[in-house]
């Protein structure tokens, strides 16, 4: 495990304390699709096209669970809302109006 964590863990993961690493693994590996199926409200999944942390296939898997979901991509990485807040807000505003 030590070799794998040093070699394959994200930069963020490698900076965490041992206790936080355990929490991080539980959060990242949690499957919430059953909960997503219960969502009745409109949901916008907005993903950065350059996101290296959360693959598009994961967003698509959750989208398939949602009755009223929509997936849109925008320029940016995992924190696309920080990379281009104006575009993020315009897309979100258009969706919810």
């Amino acid at each position: 495990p030590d070799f794998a964590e040093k070699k394959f863990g994200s930069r963020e993961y490698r900076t965490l304390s041992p206790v936080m690493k355990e929490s991080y693994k539980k959060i990242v590996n949690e499957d919430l699709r059953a909960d997503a199926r219960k969502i009745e409200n409109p949901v916008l999944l907005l993903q950065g096209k350059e996101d290296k942390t959360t693959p598009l296939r994961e967003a698509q898997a959750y989208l398939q669970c949602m009755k009223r979901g929509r997936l849109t991509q925008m320029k940016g990485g995992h924190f696309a809302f920080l990379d281009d807040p104006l575009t993020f807000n315009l897309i979100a505003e258009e969706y919810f109006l």
Side-chain angles (χ1 to χ4, degrees), residues 30-50:
E30 189 170 16
D31 184 352
L32 298 170
R33 288 176 291 178
D35 295 305
R37 287 184 188 91
K38 299 175 187 174
I39 298 172
E40 300 287 337
N41 295 349
V43 175
L44 174 63
L45 301 176
L46 188 50
Q47 180 164 8
K49 291 179 182 177
E50 294 84 34

Side-chain angles (χ1 to χ4, degrees), residues 4-15:
E5 288 180 6
K6 289 176 185 172
K7 183 81 172 165
F8 301 109
S10 69
R11 184 175 15 173
E12 176 186 22
Y13 177 79
R14 290 190 303 266
T15 65

Side-chain angles (χ1 to χ4, degrees), residues 17-76:
S17 70
V19 171
M20 290 304 295
K21 282 181 180 179
E22 291 307 309
S23 294
Y24 187 90
K25 285 190 273 189
K26 289 177 183 175
I27 292 166
V28 169
N29 292 320
E30 189 170 16
D31 184 352
L32 298 170
R33 288 176 291 178
D35 295 305
R37 287 184 188 91
K38 299 175 187 174
I39 298 172
E40 300 287 337
N41 295 349
V43 175
L44 174 63
L45 301 176
L46 188 50
Q47 180 164 8
K49 291 179 182 177
E50 294 84 34
D51 188 343
K52 304 277 189 255
T53 305
T54 306
L56 180 59
R57 70 179 182 278
E58 288 186 28
Q60 291 168 331
Y62 280 94
L63 181 65
Q64 289 177 353
C65 298
M66 296 177 194
K67 297 173 182 100
R68 299 174 62 195
R70 185 175 111 203
L71 173 62
T72 300
Q73 287 189 295
M74 62 175 278
K75 183 179 180 184

